Amino acid sequence: MASASTSKYNSHSLENESIKRTSRDGVNRDLTEAVPRLPGETLITDKEVIYICPFNGPIKGRVYITNYRLYLRSLETDSAVILDVPLGVISRIEKMGGATSRGENSYGLDITCKDMRNLRFALKQEGHSRRDMFEILTRYLVPSTAAAPLPLFAFLNEEKFNVDGWTVYNPVEEYRRQGLPNHHWRITFINKCYELCDTYPALLVVPYRATDDDLRRVATFRSRNRIPVLSWIHPENKTVIVRCSQPLVGMGGKRNKDDEKYLDVIRETNKQISKLTIYDARPSVNAVANKATGGGYESDDAYHNAELFFLDIHNIHVMRESLKKVKDIVYPNVEESHWLSSLESTHWLEHIKLVLTGAIQVADKVSSGKSSVLVHCSDGWDRTAQLTSLAMLMLDSFYRSIEGFEILVQKEWISFGHKFASRIGHGDKNHTDADRSPIFLQFIDCVWQMSKQFPTAFEFNEQFLIIILDHLYSCRFGTFLFNCESARERQKVTERTVSLWSLINSNKEKFKNPFYTKEINRILYPVASMRHLELWVNYYIRWNPRIKQQQPNPVEQRYMELLALRDEYIKRLEELQLANSAKLSDPPTSPSSPSQMMPHMQTHF
Amino acid sequence: MFSLKPPRPTFRSYLLPPLQTDDNINSEPKIKKLEPVLLPGEIVVNEVNFVRKCIATDTSQYDLWGKLICSNFKISFITDDPMPLQKFHYRNLLLGDHDVPLTCIEQIVTVNDHKRKQKVLGPNQKLKFNPTELIIYCKDFRIVRFRFDESGPESAKKVCLAIAHYSQPTDLQLLFAFEYIGKKYHNSANKINGIPSGDGGGGGGEGNGGGVDSSQKTPLFEIYSDWDREIKRTAASGWRVCSINEGYMISTCLPEYFVVPSSLADQDLKIFSHSFVGRRMPLWCWSHANGSALVRMALVKDAPQQRKIDQRICNAITKSHPQRSDVYKSDLDKTLPNIQEVQAAFVKLKQLCVNEPFEETEEKWLSSLENTRWLEYVRAFLKHSAELVYMLESKHLSVVLQEEEGRDLSCLVASLVQVMLDPYFRTIVGFQSLIQKEWVMAGYQFLDRCNHLKRSEKESPLFLLFLDATWQLLEQYPAAFEFSETYLAVLYDSTRISLFGTFLFNSPHQRVKQSTEFAISKNIQLGDEKGLKFPSVWDWSLQFTAKDRTLFHNPFYIGKSTPCVQNGSMKSFKRTKGNPGT
């Protein structure tokens, strides 16, 4: 009896909090309206339902469906439950119960979401309300298959922001920041019309000594023409991280002189080490198996001056199944009795560990090993993107700022053709599609693990990572739509949609980590050991009101207070110094700058 | 080779970076410099030169050269070599980087690799081979390894035997704290009245907050007024301080003063006390602002009397409640893991963290951790305490903790409940007073449970479990605690330093009895004092500089307005990472 009463007690005190979570995305909402609406959002229908809340039991409410979201408001006076779910988040809608169902609340809809939750609504059997709701949701979920094709909401969204997120990433500027072009590396426009490779960006950085003709010949030997191109160059030792897809070796062990020569040219841009290091992200058995379908890896015989390592990261299917298991143990109920071994059996943290370990190896090779590195998996758009972007995050503190991280995502993921549309399934009802996989989520999880281990190294906070993941699914912004740059160009995404970075950058304060201390040149090597990796509870178990952390976070509040106090003291000190120097009527000596004083102030922390 | 023993510099140059080889290590002044730092009463028992301390798992470039010393307080490795891979931001003033207090030693293993022999050294044992290696397993999860390849074989053997002998004393009075305090009394006898002063020798009244503010003293609950003040602080009307145990006349495992329901007269208590195990009658711990009280007591052993006594006690507790609320009884023996189970879990946890190869445990880390059951037990105590918090706070019921002897699980649960409910106990001084009140004074058997004499079958890390549970709360409510993770770690380390009286005894009575005996044997005049006043752990200035003590403070602490903290759910629990292992 005692335990039951405790949970009641706990849920009671935390309940209100879960319910107050209305606006996480900074939209001004007209309180007089029943449903918050974005510019361009229109109400389609509303229905009375019973929301079967897994934590608080059935709640009578009214559900509103717009062309962007499903919104539920409780009709019960003692409960303020609100659900606000963008339609893009919905992965699957199932009818539960039939005409003969007798049990209470057994007739209705069961909605599976991409963000680790399920929603259940019980509806009245009379009046076809379930059929209506099912059909409307399905139509808006998969706009393109509707009788009259509807665009994704991102194309109807009329939100205006005072900054334009589409201008955040400019490849020329980013490469210039890295010191490119230089006399070893040049920018090429060979892919301007996406003719060389339709899943690559228009602008590429390649070895100075490789001609455009060389590039075309190399493209024939790389899966989907994804040739090795530069991702990042070390500012001091000038070693590089290069990304590509697997070579088309095949069963016969084909070789390609141009590819071999091209890799040698890449190697020669770095004079410090006689070998080029190749990281094949896959387990070696998978790499071998890929030969059967025409792929493969760089053999020692063909590539004398390269060293190949396999990183043992599994493919998209393994990751998808692993995340499913995570959901099984956290939603709706958290598997309490054998939590740690259940968590272990999902292998999710083990996969996180392998991805991080791989990225650490890449970063370490470039930085300490002074060797240029080539990274690929099969097609070079999933594991490769994870590895290059994480390694860059470890090596280059620029990417740890808010805008820097946006640039990193924009560059290594969006422009280099991570297939967001296929992996997430935007506007696609085929929820069992084998192409779907939480690769980007896994990357964000790795970033979160790093931010946990280096709490002062990142300008952004956890909310920043969560809002990115929320809008990965929401289809409110154009940022993550489509599979590659060429498709986005065809659809004129930057003209017709709003960028997620517009929302974030116009409201940056909300996403800032108060503990951030800017450090140039610091390389972060996270500890990729099971002893240190944790499940990201605030994301994966955020729907469970009993697991939620205190909000607002008192630590952050306290830190803000301390920062304000510090600023105040610095100001007062400067005033005193000024008064003092005036009194002495000496020629004003420059007062010691605040930055010089900071170390003293910080010894208290 | 010109001599049997190669000159050391040659060897050194072979193993260490060339930069240091030109240093003539073997010269007289250099050796003279390698002197141990000794405390009053501390003597060097044995020592051996040219010892190599292994830092990494294999013989490597990190090895340090120096002298190994065994004193009656610690083993000390003295070296000129800088410490590689510096780990800690603070330094203990009593111990060097390489020192291990004798009470921290768990097991001593000597090895001879030529003869492929290995022996675990107990006290007073013989060693039939000359050791080439000494491995010390420490209670704080450290493993320290020394190599004697270049040392004199006989002196190496002697040091090993000395360590084995001195770290496994047969009598409580052989622990260093007695030697130290004896010396202190003798030294100060020449000065003032035989009361040690200066560096915080007062186990009785001393003990500052550990922070910068030394004006705030930790109440030790040795005297009447501390209890009286606690009653007033918690506005516990209906409760009074009782003095019937003065001079330990009633029970040797109770404090001299404790708090009881006002409605129970001394005469009644004296009669009732015979029915309780260890005569441990109900002791008041704390009162909620709503008047509900937390009480702990032993079982009534007298079966026919049980109902009647239980009834009388409950009535008295109800009478002390302003709303006359009922009493909620919690039988801890039936609801929580026992001390043997906790010990077994701890042994497994240590095995996992220290002994097993890193790579092998890595793959199955989470399930292996789960299998130790340590976190499960941490959770069980937190969860049960949270339930009692609910009874006290929301149901307005007084809670009685019942346990056979009432001096193990009760200590843990009583303290956790108070940490959760009362922000005062989340301050440094408050937390220290809580440990005095619910552990030291309540007769938690530190001597047996910490196994300071290394022959006890009664070892169990309940105190560590309490600190771990507190750490879990600190992780979940980072703004609610004045102290930091560092403070908790340092506090636990202090239980392994046999200089302080705080964690040395099974009861306050034992301290008085043993130290009086010792004082008589050493001809120390005690005057009016009840036993020797050992240094208190709470006098942190003995161990750390004021600068290092700032690390005890949690910068995120919001003094007031932190709500009652409680959460018994597992997933938000963290793995304890603090303990350094090699």
Side-chain angles (χ1 to χ4, degrees):
Chain A
M1 57 96 14
S3 83
S5 43
T6 310
S7 60
K8 202 187 290 166
Y9 181 81
N10 277 342
S11 66
H12 181 73
S13 61
L14 291 163
E15 202 167 272
N16 297 332
E17 230 154 39
S18 76
I19 282 150
K20 273 182 217 135
R21 59 155 50 244
T22 41
S23 152
R24 243 183 307 105
D25 31 19
V27 182
N28 291 324
R29 279 166 180 165
D30 192 346
L31 289 172
T32 56
E33 269 189 78
V35 197
R37 256 188 269 171
L38 298 168
E41 185 177 355
T42 50
L43 183 67
I44 293 154
T45 184
D46 64 289
K47 294 250 179 287
E48 202 169 291
V49 298
I50 307 279
Y51 166 52
I52 304 166
C53 173
F55 312 111
N56 300 309
I59 294 160
K60 202 171 172 193
R62 181 165 285 278
V63 78
Y64 302 84
I65 298 169
T66 72
N67 54 352
Y68 170 61
R69 77 184 92 207
L70 179 155
Y71 189 87
L72 175 123
R73 176 168 293 214
S74 161
L75 293 173
E76 286 167 35
T77 43
D78 59 335
S79 148
V81 168
I82 282 174
L83 281 179
D84 188 356
V85 186
L87 298 181
V89 168
I90 296 172
S91 154
R92 149 187 216 189
I93 310 162
E94 279 174 300
K95 292 175 186 164
M96 56 172 191
T100 55
S101 294
R102 283 290 166 264
E104 204 189 340
N105 299 334
S106 61
Y107 181 83
L109 291 176
D110 186 20
I111 297 176
T112 309
C113 297
K114 295 168 183 172
D115 61 358
M116 309 293 285
R117 60 178 157 165
N118 282 35
L119 307 171
R120 277 174 163 240
F121 299 108
L123 290 134
K124 291 200 189 78
Q125 293 205 15
E126 315 76 62
H128 300 299
S129 61
R130 180 171 83 171
R131 194 192 62 197
D132 287 356
M133 193 165 154
F134 182 82
E135 280 174 2
I136 288 166
L137 281 175
T138 311
R139 175 146 37 100
Y140 280 89
L141 218 57
V142 195
S144 57
T145 56
L150 295 161
L152 287 168
F153 179 75
F155 292 98
L156 304 169
N157 187 0
E158 291 163 13
E159 282 178 273
K160 296 275 181 288
F161 293 97
N162 51 19
V163 287
D164 181 6
W166 293 123
T167 62
V168 165
Y169 177 58
N170 175 333
V172 175
E173 262 174 43
E174 164 56 15
Y175 288 120
R176 191 179 298 140
R177 186 192 68 85
Q178 292 189 25
L180 297 166
N182 61 20
H183 42 259
H184 287 299
W185 296 92
R186 66 185 178 96
I187 290 175
T188 174
F189 295 92
I190 184 176
N191 203 36
K192 203 171 90 190
C193 305
Y194 309 102
E195 282 164 333
L196 177 79
C197 171
D198 59 355
T199 58
Y200 259 10
L203 191 141
L204 300 168
V205 175
V206 295
Y208 191 82
R209 283 180 47 213
T211 65
D212 283 359
D213 281 340
D214 291 337
L215 301 179
R216 282 188 196 97
R217 284 194 296 270
V218 172
T220 62
F221 193 62
R222 290 280 162 179
S223 174
R224 298 172 200 271
N225 300 346
R226 294 172 67 93
I227 60 165
V229 295
L230 180 145
S231 275
W232 189 78
I233 184 162
H234 193 286
E236 272 124 46
N237 69 30
K238 304 292 173 199
T239 53
V240 294
I241 298 176
V242 168
R243 62 182 291 173
C244 59
S245 60
Q246 64 182 339
L248 298 175
V249 174
M251 290 301 271
K254 252 188 296 171
R255 289 179 57 168
N256 181 303
K257 283 280 169 234
D258 296 299
D259 193 72
E260 289 162 27
K261 206 182 107 205
Y262 183 70
L263 259 53
D264 223 36
V265 169
I266 291 172
R267 177 185 64 81
E268 279 168 3
T269 62
N270 170 29
K271 303 274 184 261
Q272 298 154 97
I273 285 280
S274 58
K275 293 243 177 192
L276 174 73
T277 309
I278 301 174
Y279 286 110
D280 187 326
R282 303 166 290 184
S284 59
V285 281
N286 296 29
V288 173
N290 258 288
K291 286 186 174 180
T293 49
Y297 54 91
E298 294 82 354
S299 68
D300 291 345
D301 305 341
Y303 300 84
H304 303 292
N305 295 323
E307 258 185 305
L308 177 83
F309 301 95
F310 294 103
L311 294 177
D312 293 325
I313 302 168
H314 285 279
N315 62 25
I316 59 166
H317 312 295
V318 176
M319 302 309 180
R320 181 180 58 236
E321 295 314 309
S322 175
L323 186 67
K324 256 188 207 152
K325 288 185 191 153
V326 173
K327 185 172 175 182
D328 287 344
I329 64 164
V330 300
Y331 194 92
N333 297 312
V334 175
E335 165 65 53
E336 288 276 9
S337 57
H338 290 285
W339 169 248
L340 292 175
S341 49
S342 311
L343 179 60
E344 183 177 281
S345 67
T346 68
H347 297 290
W348 182 253
L349 290 178
E350 209 179 306
H351 295 312
I352 295 279
K353 173 185 160 161
L354 282 169
V355 173
L356 276 172
T357 308
I360 290 167
Q361 286 188 64
V362 172
D364 184 55
K365 200 71 176 175
V366 168
S367 171
S368 316
K370 294 188 169 43
S371 165
S372 286
V373 163
L374 179 129
V375 182
H376 71 70
C377 45
S378 297
D379 289 317
W381 51 41
D382 292 310
R383 286 165 278 195
T384 301
Q386 288 179 332
L387 289 169
T388 56
S389 54
L390 284 170
M392 287 155 76
L393 200 61
M394 291 170 193
L395 290 162
D396 192 337
S397 58
F398 169 74
Y399 297 123
R400 296 173 217 146
S401 65
I402 288 178
E403 290 213 6
F405 190 77
E406 292 166 357
I407 287 170
L408 184 70
V409 168
Q410 203 72 48
K411 176 179 184 301
E412 288 303 302
W413 291 85
I414 297 169
S415 86
F416 272 98
H418 172 68
K419 302 201 294 175
F420 281 103
S422 308
R423 296 288 176 260
I424 307 303
H426 294 135
D428 173 30
K429 68 172 175 190
N430 186 7
H431 60 87
T432 55
D433 188 351
D435 245 2
R436 292 200 187 176
S437 187
I439 300 301
F440 187 72
L441 165 64
Q442 194 173 48
F443 158 71
I444 296 288
D445 193 333
C446 290
V447 175
W448 179 82
Q449 302 284 353
M450 283 178 69
S451 73
K452 267 300 241 196
Q453 293 189 25
F454 302 98
T456 63
F458 295 87
E459 191 193 4
F460 47 83
N461 59 17
E462 192 175 49
Q463 283 311 310
F464 175 76
L465 298 176
I466 291 177
I467 200 172
I468 290 176
L469 290 176
D470 282 344
H471 292 296
L472 173 66
Y473 309 119
S474 76
C475 296
R476 176 169 148 196
F477 302 100
T479 306
F480 296 116
L481 299 185
F482 305 103
N483 280 335
C484 56
E485 196 175 288
S486 60
R488 255 168 246 125
E489 202 121 302
R490 276 198 301 279
Q491 298 292 336
K492 300 196 169 50
V493 166
T494 55
E495 292 160 40
R496 295 170 58 208
T497 72
V498 180
S499 161
L500 168 61
W501 317 130
S502 304
L503 170 75
I504 289 174
N505 294 356
S506 60
N507 199 1
K508 254 188 186 170
E509 285 309 309
K510 227 176 124 182
F511 304 107
K512 276 190 177 164
N513 167 16
F515 307 110
Y516 180 52
T517 316
K518 198 171 176 178
E519 285 173 295
I520 318 293
N521 293 338
R522 180 182 175 202
I523 301 176
L524 307 181
Y525 291 120
V527 181
S529 154
M530 293 309 288
R531 287 156 166 79
H532 286 266
L533 300 179
E534 290 172 36
L535 186 76
W536 187 7
V537 168
N538 287 350
Y539 180 75
Y540 298 109
I541 322 186
R542 63 177 158 156
W543 309 119
N544 189 328
R546 267 152 234 168
I547 308 297
K548 263 184 77 66
Q549 270 199 340
Q550 292 170 288
Q551 288 294 341
N553 186 340
V555 174
E556 287 189 10
Q557 269 184 340
R558 171 74 175 144
Y559 197 83
M560 294 296 195
E561 283 169 26
L562 291 176
L563 285 182
L565 202 64
R566 184 188 66 183
D567 291 344
E568 197 186 307
Y569 280 132
I570 290 171
K571 209 176 123 203
R572 208 185 296 169
L573 184 69
E574 277 173 349
E575 280 167 14
L576 287 171
Q577 279 173 331
L578 213 65
N580 203 28
S581 64
K583 214 181 284 170
L584 291 171
S585 71
D586 276 339
T589 49
S590 65
S592 49
S593 76
S595 63
Q596 273 174 309
M597 282 178 278
M598 270 173 55
H600 288 288
M601 307 288 297
Q602 284 184 332
T603 52
H604 297 294
F605 309 132
Chain B
M1 291 292 144
F2 300 105
S3 67
L4 285 173
K5 216 169 79 180
R8 225 179 126 252
T10 324
F11 195 87
R12 194 187 159 85
S13 67
Y14 185 75
L15 274 170
L16 289 170
L19 255 179
Q20 296 182 19
T21 52
D22 47 6
D23 228 355
N24 190 353
I25 310 291
N26 222 1
S27 68
E28 276 307 296
K30 204 73 179 187
I31 289 217
K32 263 196 190 140
K33 257 185 70 187
L34 297 181
E35 287 302 330
V37 183
L38 298 177
L39 295 167
E42 187 177 1
I43 47 160
V44 173
V45 181
N46 238 312
E47 61 180 56
V48 55
N49 262 306
F50 309 127
V51 176
R52 194 147 50 87
K53 183 182 175 184
C54 311
I55 299 293
T57 34
D58 276 315
T59 303
S60 78
Q61 49 166 340
Y62 295 122
D63 286 356
L64 308 175
W65 284 98
K67 180 155 98 174
L68 180 63
I69 283 167
C70 171
S71 80
N72 54 347
F73 170 56
K74 64 181 181 243
I75 58 171
S76 187
F77 178 76
I78 309 152
T79 178
D80 280 341
D81 298 341
M83 176 81 160
L85 321 164
Q86 190 74 41
K87 254 186 181 166
F88 297 103
H89 304 298
Y90 52 87
R91 244 200 98 232
N92 194 308
L93 298 171
L94 300 172
L95 298 161
D97 284 338
H98 306 285
D99 295 355
V100 180
L102 294 176
T103 24
C104 189
I105 294 174
E106 168 97 59
Q107 197 178 53
I108 301 152
V109 180
T110 45
V111 182
N112 182 309
D113 11 67
H114 313 304
K115 296 183 177 165
R116 293 165 178 262
K117 280 188 174 164
Q118 187 171 327
K119 183 170 184 180
V120 178
L121 279 187
N124 290 321
Q125 276 189 322
K126 290 204 170 65
L127 190 55
K128 289 187 183 133
F129 57 85
N130 290 325
T132 52
E133 188 171 324
L134 169 68
I135 309 168
I136 311 263
Y137 292 89
C138 304
K139 289 182 173 174
D140 62 2
F141 288 33
R142 260 184 303 177
I143 301 175
V144 192
R145 273 174 63 219
F146 298 103
R147 299 275 319 170
F148 300 120
D149 303 282
E150 326 306 318
S151 354
E154 277 306 314
S155 26
K157 188 172 173 176
K158 274 185 192 154
V159 160
C160 293
L161 289 170
I163 293 171
H165 182 71
Y166 278 85
S167 66
Q168 303 173 77
T170 50
D171 190 90
L172 173 60
Q173 288 179 30
L174 294 173
L175 288 175
F176 177 68
F178 284 87
E179 203 58 52
Y180 176 82
I181 199 69
K183 199 64 150 193
K184 280 279 189 182
Y185 271 81
H186 274 298
N187 287 349
S188 57
N190 310 328
K191 297 162 205 160
I192 12 153
N193 286 343
I195 295 157
S197 56
D199 50 355
E206 298 283 334
N208 63 47
V212 194
D213 180 14
S214 60
S215 63
Q216 224 188 341
K217 296 275 167 62
T218 299
L220 299 179
F221 294 96
E222 288 177 345
I223 48 176
Y224 187 97
S225 58
D226 283 348
W227 289 103
D228 198 41
R229 223 172 285 133
E230 186 70 355
I231 289 178
K232 295 204 171 84
R233 190 185 70 80
T234 56
S237 58
W239 298 87
R240 66 177 182 95
V241 187
C242 157
S243 315
I244 55 170
N245 200 36
E246 248 173 20
Y248 306 99
M249 300 302 283
I250 301 282
S251 167
T252 52
C253 62
L254 286 178
E256 287 194 273
Y257 306 97
F258 47 83
V259 174
V260 296
S262 302
S263 60
L264 290 178
D266 281 358
Q267 206 45 46
D268 296 333
L269 289 169
K270 278 182 190 160
I271 296 165
F272 291 155
S273 72
H274 292 285
S275 308
F276 288 95
V277 176
R279 298 190 74 178
R280 291 178 66 92
M281 58 190 91
L283 308 176
W284 171 88
C285 304
W286 180 80
S287 282
H288 192 279
N290 67 23
S292 309
L294 178 65
V295 177
R296 54 191 286 182
M297 65 187 210
L299 290 186
V300 179
K301 56 184 175 183
D302 193 352
Q305 293 281 342
Q306 195 172 354
R307 263 190 89 110
K308 199 182 114 206
I309 292 172
D310 265 1
Q311 202 51 51
R312 283 291 303 271
I313 301 291
C314 288
N315 286 344
I317 296 172
T318 301
K319 255 188 212 163
S320 294
H321 197 296
Q323 290 142 39
R324 305 288 178 268
S325 291
D326 269 345
V327 170
Y328 177 83
K329 277 201 250 170
S330 169
D331 186 339
L332 302 183
D333 290 322
K334 289 200 182 112
T335 39
L336 290 166
N338 63 38
I339 61 164
Q340 289 82 15
E341 287 168 323
V342 172
Q343 171 67 7
F346 179 70
V347 169
K348 280 193 201 158
L349 178 70
K350 190 143 97 180
Q351 183 77 15
L352 176 68
C353 293
V354 178
N355 295 354
E356 284 167 18
F358 186 91
E359 284 310 323
E360 282 172 35
T361 49
E362 177 69 6
E363 202 181 320
K364 294 267 163 223
W365 175 256
L366 293 175
S367 51
S368 309
L369 189 62
E370 183 179 288
N371 285 337
T372 69
R373 309 191 76 170
W374 179 259
L375 284 177
E376 182 186 325
Y377 294 161
V378 172
R379 178 179 180 231
F381 278 94
L382 280 167
K383 195 161 179 271
H384 189 66
S385 303
E387 282 162 17
L388 299 179
V389 163
Y390 174 71
M391 293 300 163
L392 282 158
E393 173 154 287
S394 304
K395 291 274 180 181
H396 298 228
L397 297 178
S398 287
V399 168
V400 176
L401 308 176
Q402 275 192 308
E403 188 191 359
E404 167 111 46
E405 278 193 86
R407 55 201 293 206
D408 282 305
L409 309 179
S410 309
C411 303
L412 217 172
V413 174
S415 332
L416 278 180
V417 167
Q418 291 173 71
V419 166
M420 288 175 179
L421 279 169
D422 190 340
Y424 170 66
F425 294 120
R426 293 174 227 143
T427 65
I428 289 177
V429 168
F431 190 68
Q432 294 178 165
S433 81
L434 182 69
I435 291 170
Q436 282 292 139
K437 188 168 71 154
E438 300 303 339
W439 296 80
V440 179
M441 284 301 127
Y444 178 72
Q445 300 166 80
F446 279 103
L447 179 68
D448 291 345
R449 300 291 178 249
C450 297
N451 199 8
H452 290 316
L453 299 180
K454 293 184 193 68
R455 55 202 165 83
S456 159
E457 301 300 304
K458 300 173 191 162
E459 185 168 353
S460 187
L462 279 190
F463 188 62
L464 176 65
L465 194 70
F466 165 60
L467 297 181
D468 193 336
T470 306
W471 182 85
Q472 303 285 355
L473 290 169
L474 172 62
E475 281 286 297
Q476 290 185 24
Y477 299 87
F481 292 84
E482 187 190 16
F483 48 83
S484 62
E485 178 184 62
T486 303
Y487 170 81
L488 290 174
V490 157
L491 175 54
Y492 184 61
D493 284 345
S494 303
T495 64
R496 304 294 180 200
I497 301 176
S498 63
L499 180 87
F500 306 106
T502 314
F503 303 128
L504 216 52
F505 301 99
N506 282 337
S507 63
H509 171 257
Q510 191 184 33
R511 176 181 68 82
V512 174
K513 184 167 170 280
Q514 293 275 341
S515 67
T516 308
E517 275 175 31
F518 182 82
I520 292 165
S521 74
K522 296 283 169 176
N523 220 359
I524 297 168
Q525 301 299 314
L526 280 174
D528 304 339
E529 285 174 40
K530 294 168 182 168
L532 296 167
K533 300 228 170 286
F534 292 94
S536 165
V537 162
W538 314 129
D539 190 353
W540 291 108
S541 64
L542 286 178
Q543 291 192 70
F544 300 98
T545 62
K547 184 170 165 281
D548 282 355
R549 273 178 278 145
T550 58
L551 294 170
F552 294 0
H553 287 259
N554 168 11
F556 305 124
Y557 177 55
I558 306 166
K560 49 209 172 295
S561 76
T562 40
C564 133
V565 302
Q566 51 167 314
N567 193 341
S569 14
M570 187 73 146
K571 63 261 121 221
S572 29
F573 281 13
K574 302 289 168 58
R575 302 175 285 285
T576 314
K577 290 168 195 156
N579 269 308
T582 354

